[in-house]
Structures are given as structure tokens and as C-alpha cells.
Amino acid sequence: MVQRLKGRSCRAHRDGTDRKQMQAHTLLDLIRSNMSHPVDLLNQTADALKASGCSLRELTELLSDAEGRVNRIKGLNVKGYTLLQHLEHLHTQLQEDQSTLRPVVDITQDLLKNITTIFLMLEEMKKDFESHSSQMDGAKLELFKKLNNIHILGKVDEVPKAEKHAMELSKEAAEIQQILRDETNSTDLLGVMQTGAYNSIINVIEKAEMEAHQSQSSTDRVLQDMMEGGLTNRAAALKDNPSHVLKEAMKTQIELNMLWNTVKSQQDVNQKKEKTKSLRTGILTVKNNLRNIRRDDTAVLIESAKSDASASSSTVSNMTERLKRISQEVDRITSTNISVNTHNMLTDADLTLKNLITALPVLKDKITIVEAFSGTAPPSGNISENIRRIKELIEETRNFVNRLPVATTFNGKSHVELHAPKNLEDIRAFTAVDLLLNLHPSHPSHADKRRRRRQDKHRDHSFFVFYLGSENGSGDYIGMAIRNKVLVCVYQLGGVVHEVETNQITETTNDKSEFDRVLFHRVYQDAEVNITQQIMSQKPLIVSPKRHRPNTTTGVLQLDPYGVVFYVGGYPQNFTPPVELHYPKFRGAIKLSYINDFAVSLFNYKHAVNLEAKQPAVKIPQMEVSDYYEGTGYRLAFIKEPDKIKRRLFRFHTNSRETNALIFYIGNQDSFFCLSVERGFLVLQGQQAGREIRVQSDEKVSLFDKSLAITIGDKFIVHFGLKQISTDHTQTNYRSYYIGGLPDQLRQRNNITAPPLRGCVDHLSEDAQIVEYNRTIGVSIGCPVALLGVHAATLYSALSADSLFDWDKLPLTVSVGFRTTDTHGSLLRSSSQGSTSVHDLQLSLGDGYVVFSSDNDTLRSDKMFNDGKWHYLSAVRRTNGLELIMDNIKVIQRQLTHDREEDQTLKGGKFKSCIAHLYTQRPEKSFIPADLSSLSLSEDVVLGWCNLHLPPHTQILPEHILKRPQNHKPSPAPAGSRCRPPSAQWAEYQLLDDHSWLSYTLPQQDLNYRPHFSLNIKTKSSKGLILHVAGRGVVPLLALYVANGKIKMSLGHDRIIQHKQKSNDGDWHRVDFSVERSSFHLLVDGVRVTDGLLPNNEGSSLDLMNPVYLGGDPTGRATKGHSIPMNSVTGCVRDFKMNEEAVGEPEGRHRTLPCSNRLTETGAYFGGGHIVKDHFFTLSSQFVLSFELRPEHLTGLLFHVSSHKSSFDVFLIENKVGVRLKAGMNTVSLSVTTPESLCDGNFHLVTVSKQHEVIQLEVDSRLEQKRVPFASTWSSTTPESLYIGGTTTKHKLSLSSSFFGCLRNVKLNGLRVSFENRSRSVHPVTIGGCPAE
């Protein structure tokens, strides 16, 4: 193939190709020559097209931008149109609101026009209220005296009648003697006697007979009027209008007085008839003697007449004496002429009391309304005092009703709702119910009998007795019912129902007082019922107790304080009781005596339904003479013959386990004496003739079964057993005395802090006479001896309770309630703790958790319980381990460490807690919490009330506890005794600057239950804190502050309310603010702002913590994170109160002074600060320093100078002025004690001088001096700083406490020392003047 190709020739093809190439070149040249012009044109066109393209692109961009603008304008137009429509709608609404507002404005204007009339009406209401209050106050003593003695019908006082009649007889005898003298020489003596004296005596006899008949008819008339219901109708009218209670009571009193007068007149009838017969006999004897007289026997006649006159006078005297003795006997007996009406009188009295009790809640509501008015009106001490007195009257009335020995009869259709116990915390772990009851037989109709035969045959003998529990019938409760005549006690704890079936109850008729006494005791889950049948009979039958010890661990009664009801005898139609109590209403009589140790009466009801007013009252005979003092009140009695100064003797007998209580008080405006027991020691304290008195027994004295005698003469002597304590006494007049307690005003006036007595008092006598009480509050009849034990205490170390346990029997159970705010400490332990004993037990707190340790096992709670609230635990030691129940919830966490919690928790620091209702399950022990007073207690245990959060001045603490150092470091309270208690004026404090504050410790229970604060403030600050208190939980802070000149209140979380007007005008403004369950309130000058709201009732779960601060936040932690100021306002505060009670002096203070708006006098006031004069004082061989001082506290540093090795101090310590000079290790001191107190409110002149080797001190012309052996070494060549009133340097000091009080006329070497010039002031100091006394 290749050879063939090589052999072929390509010339022809090449020639053809060359020709075509030539033709192509020719064509190309032709085209080039012909197309040069079009190409140029095309290039120009292309350039033009390029330029047009650029223009088009720019135009496109402009169009796109214009389109966007158009679209935006369209959107704006749409929005504008919508807004226009909305504005038109709003305009229409505003027009409608304006038309609606016009009538409101008119009404407001009318109201404003009538505001003067309204205030005038309020003023009239106030005057009427004061008038009624004063009338009620004046009549109350007489009213209650008559009510207390209404069944006795009064006593008869015959002495004035007898003396009057004796005077009449003496007058007649004198007339006879005068006639005899006038007619000595007359021969017509017999005729004169017959026509003169004889007729006169006959007239007297006839007058006496007429008076006797009138007395008889008056008595019959009054008795008839009483039996026809005059008193009953008038008592029933009391129910119609409570405002007429006083008026009707006074009418009743007048009628009773008439009744007593008629009774006395009736009793005079027989006596006057007897005297009439005696006079007739005497007259006949005189007449016969006169007839036998001859004319010649004139002398004999005269002597005979004189003898007869003397005999008549003697007869009159004897008759007067006899009548006095008869009157004294009459005073001791009861009138028998109308004793048949006693039952009717008691019935009427019962009805009157029921109507009075019905009226009292209405009166209380009126008082609440008046208090609301007084909150918006200007302060009025008169109204407040009247309200307080009326409240006391109501309390006294309720207490009187509690003492009535009358049972309430239920007819099967009635019921009573009582007020729930005031302190539900007291019945959570322990509940005691004491009542009397019986059953009444039913008398059904024939139709009822047929219907009941078709029903349950036992239903007719089953009744509801009482129910205490939730208003909806769910949850925990306590109740009683009768099933087929058998009493059943029922209680539910933590959802578990427990029943105790007892015995049959006595059935009796309506008019008989045969009762069974029921004592129900529940302590945690265990219960016991004791019944005494026919207790009023001569041979009551004591039934063996019924006991219930369930194998459960839930033992705390949980009740909502806002939803508790207490029904007795029945229940409302809209209430369904638990199935265990769902029976017909009670038919019989019930007298409720006690709930725990507080008296209860069915007459003090909240509501009563279908109680028959004319139902015969069942009077219960009194079996006991003791009075039980509940620990909340007192009894007042008036001295007999108060104006007569003589030796007085008081005797009484006590039964009490308390170790801190007030027993007896007597006093007047000038002096007082108070007998109390403090920490078990009997203490007599008082004040008389300017001297303070305090005498204490050498050893502890038990008030249980103790007889006391008090003798008041030249000495005040208290006899107890064979021992006594006494003090000197100046005879004075006393008008009244108190037993078991005191009113608040007397406590505050005399600074008495002993709590009221809780226990029994009987056989009280004054000068060997039985005492009649004039006022009784918090005292009931009878003595519940079983409940007298002390069940609460304050602990500063663990309680040793070894004697309460039986260590050889398991399971070992202990239950106790406690509260504390500390994180570490021991509550209870066995005395063998830490020894070689095989058994031990301890309950403690570690980091706030409850720790239960026994032997080698330890159980720890899963949550903290140091929140200051009451918690209840039950600890069980079994053979297989430990069990711990906290507030009805079982703890399941187990800790198997062998470390002793005591070793960790009790190292250093002070532990404080309260315990109550300690109970151990032992078969031989009663179902009552342990009596703590029977244990062997250390001095770290204070028996009685829980003092966990009480103010320091009211606590009764062990002495060694008082001496412990405090952990906190606020400005300490001034050292030394205070010269005088702070008056109302001295309770004004000036907050000097942003860092000023005052701190208070208030009762924790009051701080967290509907707290109500009030104060007065004067400030020009536009911003600053007034009050704040930190909290935990839902309300982290409560604060009152000023912002933009307006007063605001905050509860944190942006919950703020404010007053609309500015209050920083430099004037005083009163501020009230409080927290309720679902709201909080603020009032400024009586104007209430819109309330703040608290969701979910957060106000009922407050957890505010002490201290409460006035002024700034010293730590900065409480206000951190809240939109409120941290610094204090600058100004004055005064009258700081909580729940209308003055809070007293602050515990700590910083940069505060007395308010400067008081009257001042020359001088400088030192309130804890001092003044420094730099380079001013030279320690030389000669100087004279003089000044005047008026101390507020009796301890403090006055002057201080120090150099490198020497120092000079002038100080005040407990009414003694001292001077100390020191050079190296050498010291010389001298002091002057003034005969008169430095606390007399006057300035005292002090002069300190040094002349070479002699130092001299003179105080009010009393001089002391001493030689200084080291005078040559005690000197300085350069002037040193002079500190006045205190110093920040604490070394080389005789006394570190600052001076509180006033200094003036300070001179050094005769030259006045100026506090204003070349001085430095360390606040708080006021150099512009001293508060005037």
C-alpha cells in the first residue's frame, strides 16, 4: 500500500489547490477593499450600543429604587390608615369616657362639698361613743357584781336601820325625861304623862305598824312583778338593740336594789312587831307606876323617872348592840323569804347572759369600725383608751361567762359553734378535753315511733357530741359521738382514723343535775379517756380508763388556722361531718370546761342555732374552791378600809409548777411591792421613798402545795413554810391588790417582766376575811392538777431525759416539738452519753438537719428544720435499727457513720432552742407530756414559755448565759446602768447620714403573722431607706423607703406601692404599713394608697428574719438585687411600733443622736462618738481641768491623753468619777463617789488638778487627792491629742466605753475649750447644744 502511494503523483492536485488559493487571496483583497467603511460604521454602532446599554442599566437601577420607594410609601400609607382608624376609635372612647366621667365628677364634687358634714358626724359619733364608753366603764363593776351574786338575791344591811331606830327611842326617852323635869312641882303629872308622852309613844307604835304593813305589801308587789316576768322581759329586750345593754342593765340594777330594800323592809316587820309589843309592855309598866305615885312623893317620883330614863337608855344601847350582831349574822345568810324563786331568777339570768353574749360580737364589730375610722382621723388618745377599756370589759365579760356553773341544754335540733382555740399550735401534739354531759330521754309522737321502728333501732340512741377540725369535713380532726348510749372518742392524724370506745353515758331528766365527767387526753398518736359517772352524787363511780396505743407513727394534728370550725351539740345543714361522727344532733346537757388548760364555755359561742331561751338552766354545784390562773390574766380586789392605816395580813395557798411567775402585787402612785418567782427563787421587789427594793430567797421555792402569808406593817414580810423574806416598809394607804398577774400599764410603769401565773390559788383571805374580787381576767373555776406540769422550756444545751426512758424495753420511743434558728446543737440526750453504757440516745441538729443517734446507728433528716417554726419529731429505737418521723413524714435516709454529732456540733458557739410536749411511751406513765420541772435540769434550761425570739429585756435567762460574749458586732449598747428609762420624747432618733441605722429584735411569731408597723418620720431626703427586714422564701424583703421624695413600700419581686404626694418637706408624717394574707397596705398621714396584691396567699407564709433595721443596710446584703436604696434617709424617726406596741430601745445603733427638734441648752451631746483636739494637751507638772457633766449612762470615758510612755484618763463608772495617771508600769488612781446620784438630771461640776506630786479630784465640793510618786517621769515635752467622750484607740485605756450624755463649760487652766474650732468630731456628737431635761 505504501509503495503504491509513493508511486502516485500529486502535482495535478497541487496545481488545482494553488489556483484556488490565488482565487481566495484575490477575493480576500476585494473584500478588504470594499468592507473597510462598513467596519468603521459597525464599530461606531457598537460603541453607541455599549453606551446605550450602560444608560439602560442605570435606568433599570433607578426604576428598581423607585419601585422600592413606592412599595414603602404604600406600606406607610396602610399603617397610617390603620393608625387613623385606631385614633378615631380612641377618640370615640374618650368621648364616651368623658360623658361617663361627668356624673362621677359631679358626685365627687357633691361629696367634697359634704365632707365638712361628714367630719362633723364623725365627731358626734366619737362624742357619743366616748359617752357610752364612760357609762359602760362606770357601770361595769356594779353590773358584774350583781351578775355574780344574782342567784344569792342580795344581802341585808340592818345596822343603819337599827341605829336610826335607836336614835328615835333615845329621843322619846329624852322627851319623857324633859317632861318630868318641867312638871316636877305639878300636881297633874299623871294626866300630862297620859296625854303627852304616852300618846307620842303610841303614835310611834302605830307608825311602826303602818311601816311594817307597807313593807309587807311592797314585798308582795315586787315578788309578784318578778314572777310575772318583769325582769325576764327586760332581759329579753337586750337582744333587740345592743346599744341599750347598759341602760337596761342599770334598770335591772335599780329594780334589784328595790327588791333588796323590800326584802330588808319585810325582815324588819317581825322585829318591829316584837319591839312594838315590848314598848307596849314597857308603857303599861310605866303607867301603873305613875298611878301608884302620891302627890307628896315628888322627889321619889323624880328619882324614879331618872331611873326609868336611864333604864330606857340602857335598853336602847343593848338593843342597838343586839341589832348590830343580828346584822352581822344576816350578812352571812341568804334571805329565805323568796328563795323559792331562785330557779326562776337563774333562768332569767341565763337568758340575760345569752342575750348579752349575742350582743357582744356586734359591739366588737362596732369597735372594729371605730378603729378603722380612728386610723384615718387624727390620733386621739381618748378614743384609743376607751377602746382598750371596752375590750377589757368584753374580755372580763367572757371570763365571767366562762365561770358560770351552768350547763347548756340541747334539744336535738340545736347546735353551737364556738371560736376555735386561739393557739392551734398548742393542740397539735397534745389535746385535753374536759367536759360534763348527760343524755335526755326522747318523747316522740306515735308517727315518729312508727318511722323509727322502720329505721335503725340504734339510731335513736346515737348522737353527735362535738367536732373540731376543717370547715369542709376533710383532713385531721378531733370529735366525740355517742353510739347506742356509749361514748366514742374519735381523732384523725395524717389520714389515719383512731377510735376509743368507752362506757355508757348517764340518762336523766331535763331538770336534774346528774352528769358524767369525761377527760380525754391525746398526746401524739396515743389517747386515754377517763369517765366518772354521776360525779355530782355522794358516791361517784370512777370507770377504768380506756387507752389506745396504735402502732402508727403519725402523731401530729394538722389544722389550717384559716379554716377551723368547732361545733358542739350539732352542726349546720351545709356541713357533713366525718362518717364516724355522722349522727343526729345531741339531746341532753353539756358543760365544756377546758381545752388543754384554757377554760371554755358554751356561752361564749360564735353562733348558736335553735337554743331555747326559756329552756331550764341546769346549775352545777361547785365542788372545788380553787381558782385556775391560765397564765394570761389576773384578779383584782379592793382593800377593805383603805383609808385606815393598819397592819394587814394576806394568806393564800398555791398549786403551780412554774418557776417564773408573778404571784402578788400591791401598790399606789408612789410605791409598789411585787412578789414573784424567778428561776425558782422567790423574789420580792419594789420601790418606795426613792429606793429600789429587791430581796431574794436563799434557795429555790416550789409553788406546788405551798402556803404563803404576806404581812404588811413596819416591814413587808413574806412567809413561806418556816422561812421568810422581808424588807423595810413605810406605812401608807393601798386601795387594791392583784393576784397572779398585772395589766399592761402597770407592768410598763413599774418595769415588771415576770409572766402571769399559771397555776391554782385557793383560800385567799385579807385580815382573816374572805376576799371578794372586783375584776377577773384569765381565771376559771377548778384546778386541773394533772395539767399543771411545765411542758415547755428554752434550752441553751442538751436536755438530759434519762429518767424518762426504760432502757431495758424496746422499742424505745420519744416524741418532742422544737423550734430553733441555729444550725448546730443538741436537743436531747441520755445522761450516759459518752460513757461505757450499752444504751445511749441523742437528738441534735447538724447543719440544720435533724440527727438521731443511738448506739452505733445514726439517722439524718433529708431536709433542714432550723427555720424558727415549730416542728415535731418522733424517734424510735428498735432492735433492727432506728426510725425517725418529722411532721408526720417518715425519714428514709440512713447514715451509717460512727461519728458523734455532739463532737461536731457543740464545739464553741451558743445554741438556743425551744422544746415542748416531750413524751415517751411508758405503760406506767399517764397520757400527758412530761413535766419538765420534775427532771434534774442544768442551769442552761429555762422552764416556761419559749423565749426564742422575745426582746432581750423580757427574757429570763441564766446568769452565765447573760455573761457569754455576743457573736455579732453592731454598735454595742451603752455600758453601765441607764439613768432613767427612755421617755416618749427620748424615743426620737436622728439618722445623721447615709450610714446611720438602728437595729431591733422583735418576736418572730409577730414578725411573720400579719405584721403591722407604724412610725413617724421627718426628712428632707429625696432618696433613702426608712425600714427594712430581710426574709427567706416568697417574700425576700420588706422595705419602706423614700424615692423621688415619695414614700414607697416594697415586698421584693417588683411588688411596690407608693404614696402619691411627696413627704420630704421636713415635717412630721405618720406612716402605717402592714402585710396580710393576700395583700399589703400603706397609709401616710391617714391616707391609704392602693393595696398591693400577693398571689397564692403568700402573706400567710412569711419568713422574715431579725434584726429589723431603721435606716441604712449595714451589711449591704439585704437590699442587694432589689430596686431600692441601700443608704439611710437623713432625718428623724419616732414612735416606732409593731402591732400597736412600742418596740422599746434598739439593740444596736450607728451614727444616731436624739432628734434635734427638742428644746436645747448649752453644751455638747455625746451619743457614742467623740471629739479630738490635736496637739492640745501637754502632760505637765501643773494643770487644772474643769467641766460639767450630765450623764445618760453611768459608765463612759470622759477625757483621754496619751504619749509614748504616759497617759491620763478621766472616766465615769457607776455613779463614780475616777482619774488615772500612768507612766510605764506605774499607775495612780483615785475616785470620788457622790452622796447624791449623778442621774438626777442636773449638771455636776468636776475639777481635776495636778500640782507637782499631788493629783486632786473634786466632784460637787467632795474632794479626794493622792500623791503621785512618779511625777517626774509622767510628762511630755510636746502637746498631745486630747480625746473627749471616747476614743478609737483601745490600748492604754482605763475604760473603753464611750460616754453618753452632755458636757459643758470645759476649761483647761481657766481657758474655755472650744469644740467648734480646731477640732475633729467622730459622730455621733452634737456640739450645738444638749437636749433639755
Side-chain angles (χ1 to χ4, degrees), residues 984-1157:
Q985 292 180 336
W986 279 88
E988 300 177 5
Y989 298 97
Q990 181 183 3
L991 304 172
L992 289 175
D993 53 32
D994 294 348
H995 304 291
S996 300
W997 53 264
L998 302 160
S999 68
Y1000 299 86
T1001 298
L1002 304 179
Q1004 195 76 17
Q1005 59 270 27
D1006 295 338
L1007 197 60
N1008 289 302
Y1009 177 71
R1010 300 174 64 183
H1012 175 210
F1013 296 95
S1014 64
L1015 54 86
N1016 288 275
I1017 183 168
K1018 179 179 69 172
T1019 182
K1020 291 186 178 180
S1021 300
S1022 60
K1023 180 181 179 181
L1025 265 176
I1026 302 175
L1027 177 145
H1028 64 96
V1029 53
R1032 296 175 292 197
V1034 294
V1035 179
L1037 175 72
L1038 187 154
L1040 184 74
Y1041 60 97
V1042 176
N1044 297 325
K1046 300 178 180 179
I1047 295 178
K1048 298 185 178 183
M1049 178 184 179
S1050 171
L1051 263 66
H1053 302 315
D1054 297 327
R1055 292 178 291 207
I1056 300 175
I1057 56 178
Q1058 69 174 15
H1059 184 53
K1060 294 182 179 180
Q1061 303 295 327
K1062 291 188 176 182
S1063 302
N1064 61 335
D1065 52 4
D1067 293 331
W1068 285 107
H1069 297 277
R1070 177 178 172 85
V1071 184
D1072 294 81
F1073 54 106
S1074 60
V1075 181
E1076 303 294 336
R1077 293 181 61 191
S1078 58
S1079 61
F1080 53 103
H1081 316 295
L1082 172 64
L1083 289 86
V1084 180
D1085 295 329
V1087 178
R1088 185 167 181 167
V1089 306
T1090 303
D1091 293 343
L1093 300 179
L1094 294 174
N1096 303 321
N1097 292 333
E1098 292 179 354
S1100 60
S1101 57
L1102 294 176
D1103 195 4
L1104 302 176
M1105 302 178 297
N1106 281 303
V1108 177
Y1109 287 99
L1110 291 184
D1113 183 4
T1115 63
R1117 294 191 297 266
T1119 56
K1120 186 177 181 180
H1122 300 280
S1123 301
I1124 63 173
M1126 295 179 61
N1127 296 327
S1128 171
V1129 295
T1130 302
C1132 291
V1133 291
R1134 70 183 183 191
D1135 297 334
F1136 179 37
K1137 297 180 179 180
M1138 180 180 184
N1139 297 335
E1140 299 301 329
E1141 296 281 344
V1143 297
E1145 287 192 273
E1147 279 193 340
R1149 63 177 74 183
H1150 181 67
R1151 300 179 71 83
T1152 61
L1153 287 171
C1155 207
S1156 59
N1157 65 326

Side-chain angles (χ1 to χ4, degrees), residues 749-907:
R749 188 179 76 184
N750 299 319
N751 193 26
I752 296 175
T753 59
L757 174 67
R758 177 180 168 270
C760 302
V761 178
D762 54 64
H763 298 96
L764 175 63
S765 64
E766 174 194 342
D767 296 334
Q769 296 184 10
I770 298 176
V771 174
E772 293 184 1
Y773 298 101
N774 296 83
R775 181 179 300 171
T776 300
I777 295 177
V779 182
S780 53
I781 295 177
C783 185
V785 179
L787 303 180
L788 291 182
V790 180
H791 301 150
T794 303
L795 305 181
Y796 295 87
S797 64
L799 178 70
S800 177
D802 198 33
S803 61
L804 299 178
F805 298 111
D806 187 353
W807 300 100
D808 297 327
K809 295 182 181 180
L810 294 180
L812 191 69
T813 303
V814 57
S815 300
V816 67
F818 73 94
R819 63 185 299 195
T820 185
T821 55
D822 293 338
T823 56
H824 294 81
S826 185
L827 294 170
L828 183 144
R829 60 184 176 186
S830 69
S831 60
S832 59
Q833 184 75 35
S835 69
T836 58
S837 173
V838 295
H839 298 302
D840 59 0
L841 180 146
Q842 177 174 295
L843 294 170
S844 58
L845 265 76
D847 294 324
Y849 297 90
V850 174
V851 181
F852 173 32
S853 304
S854 183
D855 292 344
N856 295 323
D857 293 328
T858 300
L859 194 59
R860 183 186 180 99
S861 67
D862 51 2
K863 60 181 294 188
M864 301 172 69
F865 291 93
N866 63 327
D867 54 3
K869 299 179 180 179
W870 279 107
H871 298 283
Y872 298 88
L873 65 85
S874 292
V876 184
R877 177 177 179 268
R878 304 184 188 274
T879 55
N880 58 349
L882 307 181
E883 186 175 331
L884 180 63
I885 300 91
M886 298 297 306
D887 295 333
N888 286 348
I889 299 176
K890 186 175 181 180
V891 175
I892 60 175
Q893 179 183 355
R894 183 176 296 275
Q895 181 178 333
L896 298 177
T897 63
H898 300 290
D899 295 336
R900 272 288 169 222
E901 194 70 28
E902 178 190 14
D903 300 333
Q904 304 170 6
T905 61
L906 298 182
K907 293 178 180 179

Side-chain angles (χ1 to χ4, degrees), residues 429-477:
F430 173 66
T431 310
V433 181
D434 186 353
L435 56 85
L436 303 176
L437 79 164
N438 61 27
L439 291 175
H440 291 172
S442 60
H443 302 286
S445 61
H446 294 291
D448 291 338
K449 289 180 179 179
R450 289 194 301 269
R451 183 172 64 255
R452 291 177 181 176
R453 279 196 295 267
R454 295 193 299 267
Q455 297 175 351
D456 184 2
K457 62 180 180 179
H458 300 298
R459 189 76 176 176
D460 188 42
H461 300 293
S462 300
F463 303 100
F464 172 95
V465 179
F466 82 83
Y467 167 83
L468 174 60
S470 172
E471 59 187 357
N472 56 16
S474 62
D476 293 353
Y477 68 88

Side-chain angles (χ1 to χ4, degrees), residues 563-604:
V564 177
V565 294
F566 193 0
Y567 297 129
V568 180
Y571 44 84
Q573 295 181 355
N574 58 355
F575 174 77
T576 302
V579 62
E580 293 81 9
L581 304 175
H582 200 180
Y583 294 104
K585 297 182 179 181
F586 190 75
R587 190 173 61 247
I590 299 178
K591 183 187 185 303
L592 191 58
S593 302
Y594 290 97
I595 298 293
N596 281 16
D597 52 356
F598 290 96
V600 182
S601 172
L602 294 182
F603 292 109
N604 275 334

Side-chain angles (χ1 to χ4, degrees), residues 616-637:
V618 181
K619 188 175 183 297
I620 300 175
Q622 295 301 307
M623 299 179 295
E624 299 182 74
V625 296
S626 291
D627 293 323
Y628 174 61
Y629 290 72
E630 300 173 358
T632 59
Y634 56 87
R635 276 194 136 178
L636 164 68

